[in-house]
Every structure is written in structure tokens, then in C-alpha cells.
Amino acid sequence: MNAIVALCHFCELHGPRTLFCTEVLHSPLPQGAGGGDISGQNEQVEEEEGGIQMSSRIRSHSPAEGASADSSSPGPKKSDMCEASGCRSLAGGHPGYVSHDKETSIKYVSHQHPNHPQLFSIVRQACVRSLSCEVCPGREGPIFFGDEQHGFVFSHTFFIKDSLARGFQRWYSIITIMMDRIYLINSWPFLLGKIRGIIDELQGKALKVFEAEQFGCPQRAQRMNTAFTPFLHQRNGNAARSLTSLTNDENLWACLHTSFAWLLKACGSRLTEKLLEGAPTEDTLVQMEKLADLKEESEGWDGSEEEEKPSSQPDVVEGQELSKSSPETSLMADCSSWNVAHRRLSVFRSLRHMRQVLGASAFRMLAWHVLMGNQVIWKAQDMDLVQSAFDVLRTMLPIGCVRIIPYSDQYEEAYRCNFLGLSPHVQIPPHILSSEFAVLVEVRAATRSSLYPTLFDDEQSLNKYEFLVTSGSPVAADRVGPTILNKIEAALTNQNLSVDVVDQCLVCLKEEWMNKVKVLFKFTKVDSRPKEDTQKLLSILGAAEEDNVKLLKFWMTGLSKTYKSHLMSTVRSPTSSESRN
């Protein structure tokens, strides 16, 4: 996450001051921050914390760390620092902390002030606002502020107990600064919980120190017995005690670095960006409707299955008896499973594969019937082959237009399915064989004379089969056919396009023609326009040919119920409101 997390303190002498900050570096560490040369590269400390490697490096003391009083330094001058380190976190010469994220090659760097002047200015302004004007009711709690120029800030102010401070407490804040307002707002619950945990730990440690000091030397009674002094808080010459002194934790800054680095990493990985491609497609809507219908059916079957449990017990027993088989039986099972796996190699892999196997003319006839919504019948002994053929052919149609019976022992009417798989011995009615609304693909064992050479590199190609495609209305070779069929064939014959690219072409073509279907549906079914206007619309859509019109009418049946009901409601609602008026 491209953000900065900082701990701020309100000094009674100098006002708001930044004590400690952690930032993200996506590039290698700068060689000599602030213009200084690196005095050493020896690693002093290395420890693993949540997948982040933390190391403390010896670096030259940069002006931002307060070692120089140069006026060009972005950090505060030495004269502005509290003598008792109340406004300083890391001592002079401390190298700071660096954590390496091995997964993303990102470095989390912690020091008192950002070395970059622009970042220093942004953090400084956020620190001042968080401890002065931008406070929540009660002065303790979270608040959000910021703008496009100086960044947006999530600030959580809190008090730390101090027996020597005015009011026995000092004011701090933890701020998170980033330029992405939406991301920061969405991270509010996460940041609030984690930062609140860090604050509770700091307050718990400080409370123990405060109670111990009050028990040894109560300050309240001592102050009441002391004469009033306008500058009572400067009686010891120190404006504030360091946070390490208030919490009695010498490893406080190392722990804060680990917590801030983890916070930046975890907050950056919990939210991811996703590309939204607009409204869901018709195929997506139809799939959602089918899943909802299946869920309702399964809930209905659950109740009926509970009543039929006694009748299903013999099947379970029979299955258990089959599992207790002899070695010979298991060997036969292994052989049969090998045969099944071997047979599944002889399947259609893509439309291009099917076109090469069937031939260009036979494939065009088959594809024409598929796109027109006619019944496609496959007769074969190999069920896997038939299933693979249907899986390939259905990619040319919208999901809502696909009705498949993969394999049946009897003929099924066209209204029940447009893809029907039959065993070779099933008799098809004569009127179906001679119908122009059906196409039959018979898969037979190829004779030796009809074997053709292997076209593919697969060990098991389909040259052992012979495919006979017949129909009562064969597609003439010189027939133009629907526009989408010509584009599909052009993509299949283009050898420069891979199978994956052809699949994406099919998706685009289907979406293009489904949009035309939507326009035609609204124009004819909803608006009830006359035929003359419909013909003009078809001309504008580039679908005035007979085959294109048939295709659009068939694909209209694949529109989702959600789209149809939404369109009907949006069209009829203005009419109903006018009638009420």
C-alpha cells in the first residue's frame, strides 16, 4: 500500500511533532539520504516477523534525522528539539529500520522524518492538523480529513499517562496518509482495529509505569503543596519525557516499526482491484437462472429422499459387496478403466478439429443447422465422442439456446432438445430423416479403404471412424448463409489464429449478435412495430437476409428471463403512470 504511517506527539514547548514514521519504497534505498555518503553497510539486526525481514543498517546521519542544523534540511532544527528526547524517537547516529518483503521486493523504511522534502511537508502538515484543528469529540478517537493536494489522512488521537506532565497525560496520534481517498475510506474498519490495538498496548505499558511512579512519589499531593508557578511544566527544564521512558520499553521503536510495516503490508493486500467489464452477459444471466432452478430442485429432492431412505439401502449394500472384490476382479476393473481413458483420447477438441475431421462441406452443413436451431442428432457407440461433439458445437450458441440430451435409447422430440445423442440401434422416425429442420451425423467404424492419413500429432486420432452427415435440406455450397457462420469459418481457416484466440472470437461474435437480438426483441415484442419498420431495422443491423432473420428469431429464445422481465417492466411503467394521471 502506497501510504505512510506516523506517530505524532504534541510537545508543550514546540507544538505538534513527528516522532516516528514508516514509508514504503518500491525502488532500492537511496545511496546516502540527504546528500550524505554511506559510512557502512553492515547489518546489525535481522529478525523475521510475518514474512518480512527486518534489518537495521548503519547509514550516514541525514539532515532529516536532526543531526544537522542546515537550513535546507526538511527536518526540524536542533534548537527546536526537546533536550530530554521528548520530540525525538531515534537517538543521534541511529541508522533507522528497514524491512525487506521478499515476496514483492518492497522495502519498509522507518525513521523520524521522511527524507524526501515533499513527503516531509505532507507528513508535517498532517501531524499539525491531527493534533490541533482536526480532532474528534473528546479529543481521543479516529477522524478522517485531507484533500487532493496534501493527501488524505486517517488519524487516531490518544493520551499517554505521564506523572510529570500537566494533567498527568500527554497527547499523541497515529496517522495514515495516502493519496487514494476511496482506498483509505474502505480500509477504515481494518485500520481502526489494528491501530486501536497498538494504542492499547502503548497505553497499557504507560499505565504500569504511571502507577508505579505514583505509588513511590505521588505527584498530585506534591503539586498541591508547591507554590503556583506559571511555567510549572518546565520545573525540571524538560518539556517532555521520551515515549520509551513513559513505557519503560527500550525496544519500543523496533516494535513500532514491525507493527507499522505489517500494517502497510496487510492493508495493501486485503483489498484488490478487479476489472469490471460492464453489465453481465446474457450467458452469465442464464447460468445464474439455471443455478437457481437447480438449487430449488435440489431442495425439493432433499425432502423426498429422506422419505425414500429404506428403499435405497439395498443399493448401498450392493455397492459394498462390489467393493469386496477378488484380485481378478480388480485387475479387470483396472483394464476397463484403462480402456475408458484410452477411448477418451478419440474426441473432438475444438471446432477447428471437427472441421478438419468432417470436411469443410459437411461441417458447414452441420454448423448451419446448429445456428438455425434445428435438431442435431448424433448416432454413435462411443458416448464420450458424442459428448465431446456437443461440447464443441454448443460454443457457437448462447447458453439459453442449448438443450442437450447427451445419450438416449429412444428418439426425443425437437422441442425437448436441439442436441440429441443416440445409440446406433435406435430407430429415427422417417419424417425426421426427411425433415429440413434436422441433421443426422452417423458415426461408423471406418473400413480399411476409407481410412485417411492422420492429420494430427495425437496418438489416438479419429481416423478409425467414418462420419456421414445427412439432412432433408442440405445446405447448397453456393448459399451465402448467416453472416456469423461465414465469420466463424474465416476464423477457423486462419491458421495464424490459435484455438484460444478462435474461442475469444466466438465470444465476441455471440455478444455482437445477441445485442442485435435484444434490439429486435424490444422493437418487435415490446414496442409492437409494424413489419415495414422491422425490415428497416434489420437492414440497419445488417441482418436482412433470410438466414440472418431465422438466426435472430431462434436466438431470441435464449434471452434470459431477467432481461425480458426488466425490459417489460421498464417499458410498461411509464404507461401505467400516465394512466393513473
Side-chain angles (χ1 to χ4, degrees):
M1 183 176 71
N2 293 325
I4 297 178
V5 181
L7 173 67
C8 306
H9 164 240
F10 187 89
C11 177
E12 295 179 356
L13 279 181
H14 311 118
R17 284 291 185 269
T18 304
L19 284 182
F20 192 76
C21 68
T22 302
E23 57 181 316
V24 180
L25 293 182
H26 295 271
S27 57
L29 286 173
Q31 300 295 320
D37 297 328
I38 294 181
S39 60
Q41 292 292 338
N42 300 322
E43 294 187 359
Q44 291 182 329
V45 182
E46 287 191 4
E47 59 182 273
E48 295 290 334
E49 181 70 27
I52 303 178
Q53 182 183 10
M54 186 179 72
S55 63
S56 178
R57 292 184 177 274
I58 300 296
R59 294 185 288 132
S60 63
H61 204 62
S62 66
E65 291 166 339
S68 172
D70 191 311
S71 60
S72 63
S73 170
K77 297 181 179 180
K78 186 176 181 180
S79 59
D80 293 338
M81 306 296 290
C82 293
E83 297 179 4
S85 301
C87 293
R88 181 188 291 117
S89 56
L90 305 179
H94 194 284
Y97 301 94
V98 180
S99 293
H100 302 267
D101 188 351
K102 299 177 181 179
E103 298 177 356
T104 58
S105 300
I106 293 177
K107 298 177 181 178
Y108 300 90
V109 182
S110 293
H111 34 66
Q112 182 160 351
H113 306 283
N115 293 325
H116 195 280
Q118 185 177 2
L119 292 180
F120 174 84
S121 176
I122 292 176
V123 174
R124 172 65 178 163
Q125 185 180 39
C127 170
V128 172
R129 294 180 65 179
S130 69
L131 293 173
S132 57
C133 55
E134 305 288 354
V135 293
C136 63
R139 300 184 66 190
E140 192 172 19
I143 194 170
F144 178 88
F145 59 89
D147 52 58
E148 296 288 347
Q149 182 179 0
H150 300 95
F152 299 93
V153 183
F154 171 87
S155 172
H156 196 302
T157 53
F158 61 98
F159 292 103
I160 292 290
K161 286 291 186 179
D162 182 3
S163 59
L164 300 181
R166 197 169 46 173
F168 299 104
Q169 60 185 10
R170 298 199 180 276
W171 202 19
Y172 292 84
S173 70
I174 295 179
I175 59 177
T176 303
I177 313 168
M178 66 185 309
M179 302 304 295
D180 193 337
R181 178 177 61 89
I182 301 300
Y183 197 101
L184 188 58
I185 291 176
N186 290 333
S187 302
W188 176 287
F190 176 82
L191 292 174
L192 179 60
K194 302 306 177 183
I195 292 178
R196 185 68 250 180
I198 297 174
I199 293 173
D200 290 342
E201 186 175 357
L202 292 175
Q203 289 178 333
K205 293 179 179 180
L207 182 60
K208 292 180 181 179
V209 175
F210 175 79
E211 292 177 348
E213 292 177 349
Q214 287 292 86
F215 180 78
C217 181
Q219 291 292 319
R220 187 178 299 275
Q222 184 179 353
R223 294 183 186 184
M224 293 178 65
N225 296 329
T226 303
F228 175 76
T229 304
F231 303 99
L232 183 62
H233 61 281
Q234 298 185 37
R235 60 189 178 279
N236 294 326
N238 298 325
R241 299 161 66 186
S242 65
L243 191 58
T244 54
S245 174
L246 294 177
T247 58
N248 193 24
D249 186 0
E250 296 297 331
N251 298 322
L252 174 66
W253 305 118
C255 295
L256 279 180
H257 166 75
T258 304
S259 299
F260 287 174
W262 179 90
L263 185 68
L264 289 171
K265 177 178 173 62
C267 190
S269 59
R270 62 179 291 270
L271 295 178
T272 56
E273 295 181 350
K274 292 185 178 180
L275 178 63
L276 298 180
E277 300 180 354
T281 61
E282 283 300 304
D283 285 354
T284 303
L285 294 175
V286 173
Q287 284 179 338
M288 294 171 60
E289 292 173 356
K290 289 186 177 181
L291 288 176
D293 294 340
L294 289 175
K295 185 177 180 180
E296 293 179 359
E297 291 180 3
S298 62
E299 292 176 355
W301 278 105
D302 290 341
S304 61
E305 286 178 357
E306 292 178 359
E307 299 176 357
E308 298 177 359
K309 278 185 179 180
S311 60
S312 61
Q313 288 180 355
D315 296 337
V316 177
V317 174
E318 184 178 358
Q320 292 176 353
E321 291 177 354
L322 289 175
S323 63
K324 298 177 182 179
S325 57
S326 62
E328 297 178 357
T329 310
S330 61
L331 180 61
M332 294 174 61
D334 293 338
C335 294
S336 62
S337 62
W338 182 86
N339 290 331
V340 170
H342 190 260
R343 186 173 64 251
R344 284 181 179 175
L345 294 175
S346 301
V347 295
F348 293 105
R349 305 188 310 273
S350 63
L351 283 175
R352 178 176 289 170
H353 182 198
M354 179 179 288
R355 187 174 185 274
Q356 290 174 334
V357 172
L358 299 181
S361 59
F363 175 80
R364 181 177 177 84
M365 180 192 300
L366 179 62
W368 184 87
H369 284 279
V370 170
L371 293 172
M372 293 296 106
N374 299 335
Q375 190 175 39
V376 179
I377 306 172
W378 281 67
K379 291 183 67 175
Q381 188 69 36
D382 192 346
M383 290 186 293
D384 295 328
L385 176 64
V386 176
Q387 183 63 53
S388 68
F390 291 161
D391 292 340
V392 167
L393 292 173
R394 68 184 297 173
T395 59
M396 293 190 294
L397 293 178
I399 294 180
C401 297
V402 177
R403 302 182 309 279
I404 298 179
I405 296 181
Y407 209 73
S408 176
D409 291 333
Q410 62 180 5
Y411 172 77
E412 300 290 346
E413 294 293 338
Y415 71 88
R416 294 198 56 199
C417 60
N418 56 338
F419 292 99
L420 175 61
L422 298 175
S423 59
H425 65 273
V426 176
Q427 296 294 327
I428 301 177
H431 70 279
I432 299 298
L433 295 175
S434 60
S435 173
E436 61 178 349
F437 301 109
V439 60
L440 173 64
V441 181
E442 294 183 83
V443 183
R444 303 171 182 174
T447 59
R448 183 173 298 273
S449 60
S450 62
L451 287 175
Y452 51 85
T454 303
L455 297 176
F456 315 103
D457 297 334
D458 301 314
E459 295 180 359
Q460 286 295 319
S461 61
L462 296 174
N463 59 351
K464 61 182 179 180
Y465 293 121
E466 183 179 4
F467 300 90
L468 181 61
V469 182
T470 58
S471 174
S473 175
V475 180
D478 56 347
R479 188 167 181 173
V480 178
T483 305
I484 189 174
L485 176 58
N486 300 328
K487 292 184 178 181
I488 290 175
E489 285 194 315
L492 295 178
T493 55
N494 189 349
Q495 297 300 324
N496 295 326
L497 303 181
S498 63
V499 176
D500 294 334
V501 175
V502 172
D503 292 340
Q504 293 302 316
C505 289
L506 285 175
V507 174
C508 296
L509 288 173
K510 286 192 294 184
E511 282 300 306
E512 176 188 355
W513 282 83
M514 281 304 292
N515 290 333
K516 297 180 180 181
V517 169
K518 292 179 181 180
V519 174
L520 183 62
F521 176 81
K522 183 180 184 303
F523 200 81
T524 57
K525 304 297 182 180
V526 180
D527 297 342
S528 300
R529 299 294 184 91
K531 292 184 179 181
E532 294 78 9
D533 294 344
T534 303
Q535 192 63 33
K536 293 179 182 178
L537 175 65
L538 292 173
S539 300
I540 295 174
L541 296 177
E545 295 79 6
E546 180 183 357
D547 287 346
N548 288 329
V549 175
K550 291 181 179 179
L551 183 142
L552 292 176
K553 290 182 178 179
F554 167 57
W555 283 29
M556 201 178 292
T557 61
L559 289 174
S560 62
K561 300 177 183 177
T562 304
Y563 174 78
K564 292 179 180 179
S565 59
H566 172 72
L567 193 60
M568 292 293 187
S569 60
T570 54
V571 171
R572 292 175 179 175
S573 55
T575 306
S576 59
S577 60
E578 290 176 2
S579 61
R580 291 176 184 176
N581 295 332

